[in-house]
Amino acid sequence: MRSSARPLAALLAALTLTAGLFAAGAPASARPAEVAHAAEASDVSLAADTYDWKNVRIDGGGFVPGIVFNRSEKNLAYARTDIGGAYRWDQSGKQWTPLLDWVDWDRWGWSGVVSLASDSADPDNVYAAVGTYTNSWDPTNGAVLRSSDRGAGWKASTLPFKLGGNMPGRGMGERLAVDPNKNSVLYLGAPSGNGLWRSTDSGVTWSEVTAFPNPGNYSQDPSDTSGYGNDNQGVVWVTFDERTGSAGSATQDIYVGVADKDNTVYRSTDGGATWSRIAGQPTGYLAHKGVLDSSGGYLYLTLSDTGGPYDGGKGRIWRYATATGEWKDVSPVAEADTYYGFSGLTVDRQQPGTLMATAYSSWWPDTQIFRSTDSGATWTQAWDYSSYPDRTNRFTQDVSSVPWLTWGASPAPPETTPKLGWMTEALEIDPFDSNRMMYGTGATIYGTENLKNWDSGSRFRITPMVKGLEETAVNDLASPPSGAPLLSALGDVGGFRHTDLDAVPDMMFTSPNLTSTTSLDFAETSPGTVVRVGDADAAPHIGFSTDNGANWFQGSEPSGVTGGGTVAAAADASGFVWSPEGAGVQHTTGYGSSWSASTGIPAGAAVESDRKNPKKFYGYAAGTFYVSTDGGATFTAKASSGLPAEGNVRFKAVPGTEGDVWLAGGSATGAYGLWHSTDSGATFTKLSGVEQADSVGFGKAAAGASYQTLFITAKIGGVRGVFRSTDAGTSWTRINDEAHQWGWIGAAITGDPRVYGRVYVSTNGRGIMYGDSSDGDGTDPGTDPGTDPGNPPEGAACSVTYEVTTQWADGFQADVTLTNTGSTALDGWQLGWTFPGGQRITQMWNAVSGQDGARATAANVSWNGKVAAGESAGFGFTGTLSGGNGNPTAFALGGEACTEG
């Protein structure tokens, strides 16, 4: 299973920039001014609402190529994903905490994590090497992020080259490593021929190690001209022999893995000053991992004939004795018997000589995990054939917490369901607990807490250890007016029917199983009828449901179909229009027993249905809007003037009103924004206040409002975010903040028709986010400051608490509580303070902000201006950093000083 390779190609083409490289060996450092901001948000005047954001639970759904345990603190562990950020393990809840949700639209590539490093000398320090693609698909250079509070807040050092968290070879590593003896020293293995890099100031600045002799030469597919398959996978891992240093003195022996089949391991014995190829090493393979067991003095290598993570037909495991220089092949099976490569590799820090490895590319019948307790001299396997095709397993596997991991399959032996996994390149034994092991797959993290049963002859228990880690790429979302609140179209795992947003569904959509669902729709006035289309290795590419997505049956399809495309259901379920890949637009009545070609509309057009008139369908392609009034049989070109002819365009019709259509999309080089039509697309009006928009959806109307609530992912007033309007686009409220941005979120958005304010937002690797508003009655708080706050009543006194709740690379979020400690009620208030470090407020909620230089103010809004004696009023804000982030030391209410609570 693979995570979505990228956002839609057209979007990336629009975003692509050419990034120049600095001269080789030049230092690459990032200061706050060098970290690009999406916008000068302080210039924006918008209402804001406080939203509670959570994941719609799926648990997993994508490739986890790296798991890192801290070597000096128990229960401190991190996981990295290829497109969905990084996570920290929360032992108390046995779940993962996301760490990179602050990554914004312009730097979406930083959601791809190519490597993680946890500092064993100071466990508060953690580092992440980020960047998704090394070619033109990613508009930004890579960066090394550093945190001194375990990922709660980050600072960034941009690099003069790109990193590839979702490139071939991403399961190798770890490319980033902290010197265990002198933790101000870090190394980073770079792709694309950029060599080995080093920082001597705890990741602030980076320089190329010019003495390192080999930048690698292996690429997955040299004939590929896109920059993806033909990229040099470069320097792929770094590990230290901690015995060759002492606290405060740099480690002398450093081992580095290189993507070069003839020269895959190098060593320095003088702290990185000089480097040499280790003599006698295995050739013909790439060393995916290099793990040093200092207790036994062995460096172990897992090798494969390719870089992975999908492929690999041969592999070996070798052991290097660091004291004598002896190399030994300690592979668990003969080379002739391998049809896979080795990658996952770990040693038990509590039990010298115990190590484990994975056959990461054994897709059929299952992955294999190997274990040795004698330094590789002998091995046992997680499963063996008892009598082919029957298997004997050393484990039991319980996926009841994530039941969809069975894939709804019933395979013939020797396959089983669920499988142990595939793409198993991450494998780690807890350095403090020999019984706990975790490993990553293409779909989840599995683990065990009784691993030592393996050696005693009893079976160990494998369960998902993935709660909190959400890694699906979302293509489409639908929230029907009845039935399940949410239906989703996802990459890799197809999609789900969520009857409970906070519970893992029993199964993804099946019958048919689509590898990726590209589009889905329900009949507006008959929401039990649902249709979905997507990609599959063979037909069918379409499925229908008559019970709101609970059960499905396969539909037939016209000849030539190669992919899902888009699909639309008539409002009353009487017919469907489908625009698949590989064939022109098609229409049908019933459930697709036969299809007829639509006329008047080009192949590849996106299609949607009118949500009231069952005969009316809409289409869009290359700047022209199309309408059908005969169930999709014929289309007529309508509006085209001023509409975007390039970039991604998404449009939807408003439920309950015929001909009411909203259209979002475009590109930075052409028309880009939000358009509205009330005459079935004959004319469109562009909303002047929306600079850019990428997706649009509708939800329950606010109290007293006659029009459905609008939700868009957009850029308004220079700010990128998620916005809500309760007055048909006349005014907008930003409902996310800098701590909740999730990279690229342009694929889909929809409100909930049953819950005011609830919105579902697609991400490309962080799953489905849903937000609920604190503005429960649907009335925006407004900005009326009430009575003059400059003159508090006589006898007024106050105390203030100020807390930074979240901090990221170049910004932060803070909560402030003002308490009336006087004897008289406040009737309107304005609180003032001075920032000590150059902070700037970007957005404030539950108060109206003002700022002049370092001086900031917050004034009440209409509904919280009255504060009785002994009562409190709270507000919050997000801000940017251009220096430190010290707390203000003095607050004043109407010129009178407040005490600090």
Side-chain angles (χ1 to χ4, degrees):
M1 159 147 122
R2 55 181 304 208
S3 296
S4 287
R6 49 179 170 156
L8 297 176
L11 168 77
L12 287 166
L15 291 177
T16 297
L17 302 175
T18 301
L21 297 180
F22 294 119
S29 62
R31 302 172 182 84
E34 293 176 328
V35 179
H37 295 281
E40 289 297 328
S42 58
D43 296 334
V44 177
S45 178
L46 288 169
D49 186 12
T50 305
Y51 258 62
D52 177 33
W53 291 100
K54 299 170 66 176
N55 267 111
V56 177
R57 278 193 68 188
I58 294 170
D59 286 15
F63 180 34
V64 181
I67 299 169
V68 174
F69 278 88
N70 186 276
R71 293 273 302 277
S72 62
E73 181 175 315
K74 189 174 182 179
N75 294 323
L76 180 57
Y78 298 88
R80 63 178 171 96
T81 69
D82 49 6
I83 61 172
Y87 294 80
R88 183 183 63 245
W89 179 249
D90 170 20
Q91 178 63 21
S92 62
K94 292 196 173 181
Q95 61 188 353
W96 297 93
T97 300
L99 303 177
L100 299 184
D101 283 358
W102 55 268
V103 172
D104 59 28
W105 177 276
D106 290 332
R107 293 172 291 185
W108 60 262
W110 288 9
S111 295
V113 185
V114 73
S115 191
L116 279 172
S118 181
D119 186 349
S120 59
D122 184 349
D124 286 341
N125 296 334
V126 62
Y127 301 85
V130 297
T132 301
Y133 300 103
T134 60
N135 63 0
S136 62
W137 298 345
D138 192 334
T140 54
N141 278 2
V144 176
L145 308 178
R146 61 191 187 277
S147 173
S148 58
D149 53 11
R150 304 173 187 235
W154 296 90
K155 296 180 180 180
S157 294
T158 53
L159 297 166
F161 50 83
K162 297 183 180 185
L163 295 176
N166 201 35
M167 294 291 288
R170 59 192 179 273
M172 295 193 282
E174 294 290 320
R175 293 175 183 259
L176 185 63
V178 183
D179 189 323
N181 291 301
K182 189 174 183 178
N183 67 342
S184 60
V185 175
L186 294 90
Y187 283 86
L188 171 67
S192 311
N194 290 304
L196 180 67
W197 288 65
R198 176 171 51 212
S199 173
T200 58
D201 56 6
S202 300
V204 178
T205 61
W206 291 84
S207 298
E208 185 176 4
V209 181
T210 55
F212 192 78
N214 188 352
N217 61 16
Y218 173 82
S219 62
Q220 180 190 67
D221 181 6
S223 67
D224 179 18
T225 60
S226 71
Y228 184 76
N230 60 332
D231 184 57
N232 175 4
Q233 294 180 17
V235 181
V236 297
W237 53 262
V238 180
T239 192
F240 295 88
D241 187 344
E242 63 264 32
R243 300 170 302 172
T244 62
S246 58
S249 298
T251 301
Q252 296 301 294
D253 287 9
I254 310 166
Y255 297 85
V256 172
V258 178
D260 178 342
K261 290 187 178 182
D262 294 322
N263 311 279
T264 197
V265 187
Y266 287 79
R267 178 177 61 179
S268 174
T269 58
D270 53 12
T274 62
W275 300 84
S276 61
R277 176 188 186 276
I278 303 179
Q281 65 182 265
T283 58
Y285 290 100
L286 303 174
H288 276 226
K289 298 285 196 299
V291 175
L292 196 140
D293 184 357
S294 57
S295 62
Y298 290 126
L299 173 71
Y300 295 97
L301 305 180
T302 44
L303 301 114
S304 176
D305 58 350
T306 71
Y310 315 115
D311 55 356
K314 291 291 179 182
R316 310 304 293 146
I317 301 176
W318 279 71
R319 185 184 73 193
Y320 175 70
T322 59
T324 66
E326 177 195 24
W327 284 99
K328 185 176 180 61
D329 185 340
V330 293
S331 303
V333 295
E335 184 174 29
D337 293 335
T338 62
Y339 55 92
Y340 45 76
F342 294 97
S343 182
L345 177 64
T346 184
V347 298
D348 188 337
R349 305 294 175 180
Q350 299 292 317
Q351 295 188 173
T354 295
L355 67 152
M356 297 177 69
T358 67
Y360 78 96
S361 54
S362 177
W363 288 80
W364 189 94
D366 204 348
T367 198
Q368 185 61 274
I369 304 176
F370 302 90
R371 180 173 171 90
S372 173
T373 57
D374 53 12
S375 303
T378 60
W379 297 82
T380 50
Q381 301 181 164
W383 59 270
D384 296 279
Y385 288 116
S386 51
S387 176
Y388 187 88
D390 296 327
R391 284 169 43 171
T392 299
N393 297 330
R394 295 180 182 271
F395 61 90
T396 61
Q397 193 168 6
D398 178 2
V399 298
S400 57
S401 63
V402 190
W404 61 261
L405 284 168
T406 64
W407 244 256
S410 299
E415 282 194 280
T416 63
T417 187
K419 285 189 173 186
L420 273 176
W422 50 88
M423 298 162 60
T424 50
E425 299 210 66
L427 174 71
E428 293 295 330
I429 299 172
D430 186 335
F432 292 91
D433 184 356
S434 297
N435 260 320
R436 181 159 69 172
M437 175 267 288
M438 296 182 185
Y439 68 96
T441 79
T444 191
I445 295 176
Y446 280 125
T448 182
E449 294 184 326
N450 61 346
L451 179 61
K452 291 171 70 175
N453 283 7
W454 184 314
D455 304 324
S456 66
S458 55
R459 294 198 290 178
F460 62 98
R461 181 173 178 262
I462 293 175
T463 60
M465 291 186 176
V466 74
K467 182 181 179 183
L469 192 154
E470 298 286 347
E471 203 197 346
T472 50
V474 185
N475 295 324
D476 202 1
L477 296 168
S479 183
S482 61
L486 185 66
L487 307 172
S488 59
L490 306 177
D492 300 330
V493 294
F496 293 90
R497 178 180 190 260
H498 268 90
T499 58
D500 182 345
L501 304 177
D502 300 318
V504 179
D506 288 339
M507 191 53 55
M508 70 275 285
F509 299 142
T510 59
S511 299
N513 287 76
L514 302 175
T515 54
S516 291
T517 301
T518 56
S519 176
L520 59 79
D521 195 16
F522 62 90
E524 185 66 42
T525 61
S526 182
T529 297
V530 188
V531 60
R532 61 185 167 92
V533 295
D535 300 332
D537 294 334
H541 295 84
I542 186 167
F544 296 93
S545 172
T546 57
D547 59 5
N548 192 241
N551 296 281
W552 295 85
F553 56 93
Q554 300 176 358
S556 66
E557 61 186 48
S559 62
V561 172
T562 59
T566 58
V567 71
D572 64 354
S574 60
F576 303 88
V577 173
W578 183 16
S579 179
E581 293 182 13
V585 178
Q586 308 282 324
H587 67 99
T588 186
T589 56
Y591 294 102
S593 57
S594 64
W595 293 90
S596 300
S598 302
T599 61
I601 185 170
V607 295
E608 296 282 355
S609 64
D610 190 87
R611 309 312 282 183
K612 185 174 183 180
N613 184 340
K615 292 295 185 181
K616 188 172 286 188
F617 289 83
Y618 305 110
Y620 192 87
T624 299
F625 194 82
Y626 298 86
V627 179
S628 171
T629 58
D630 56 7
T634 60
F635 282 82
T636 302
K638 294 291 184 180
S640 60
S641 177
L643 295 178
E646 58 184 30
N648 292 310
V649 174
R650 297 169 180 85
F651 64 97
K652 288 184 179 179
V654 177
T657 304
E658 182 176 351
D660 195 334
V661 179
W662 291 81
L663 183 147
S667 73
T669 59
Y672 202 171
L674 181 67
W675 287 261
H676 185 207
S677 173
T678 57
D679 54 11
S680 300
T683 60
F684 277 91
T685 300
K686 189 176 190 295
L687 274 71
S688 59
V690 180
E691 298 157 50
Q692 300 176 357
D694 292 274
S695 58
V696 59
F698 317 107
K700 183 178 181 180
S706 59
Y707 199 82
Q708 291 208 6
T709 300
L710 291 174
F711 295 97
I712 56 175
T713 54
K715 183 178 183 181
I716 300 177
V719 176
R720 262 281 174 189
V722 183
F723 295 88
R724 183 189 71 201
S725 175
T726 59
D727 53 13
T730 301
S731 62
W732 295 95
T733 297
R734 189 185 181 198
I735 59 175
N736 72 320
D737 53 53
E738 273 73 7
H740 301 91
Q741 301 194 79
W742 317 293
W744 190 79
I745 54 173
I749 190 170
T750 187
D752 191 308
R754 290 170 272 185
V755 181
Y756 167 74
R758 178 169 291 175
V759 62
Y760 305 99
V761 179
S762 71
T763 77
N764 188 54
R766 271 288 285 125
I768 307 165
M769 306 304 304
Y770 80 97
D772 282 321
S773 171
S774 64
D775 185 16
D777 63 355
T779 304
D780 287 326
T783 57
D784 177 12
T787 58
D788 181 6
N791 297 296
E794 193 172 324
C798 53
S799 69
V800 174
T801 59
Y802 178 100
E803 179 185 8
V804 174
T805 57
T806 308
Q807 185 169 315
W808 51 97
D810 52 359
F812 68 104
Q813 179 172 314
D815 287 342
V816 184
T817 302
L818 167 66
T819 301
N820 181 1
T821 59
S823 58
T824 307
L826 297 176
D827 188 7
W829 50 265
Q830 180 172 294
L831 185 69
W833 67 91
T834 300
F835 282 120
Q839 301 99 320
R840 294 283 302 178
I841 295 171
T842 57
Q843 183 182 24
M844 183 174 285
W845 49 92
N846 300 338
V848 179
S849 67
Q851 187 164 357
D852 182 9
R855 179 68 179 167
T857 59
N860 67 278
V861 291
S862 58
W863 51 271
N864 66 358
K866 296 183 183 297
V867 184
E871 299 295 326
S872 300
F875 61 92
F877 65 90
T878 55
T880 59
L881 302 172
S882 59
N885 194 26
N887 288 0
T889 56
F891 294 86
L893 178 67
E896 300 294 326
C898 299
T899 61
E900 293 182 56

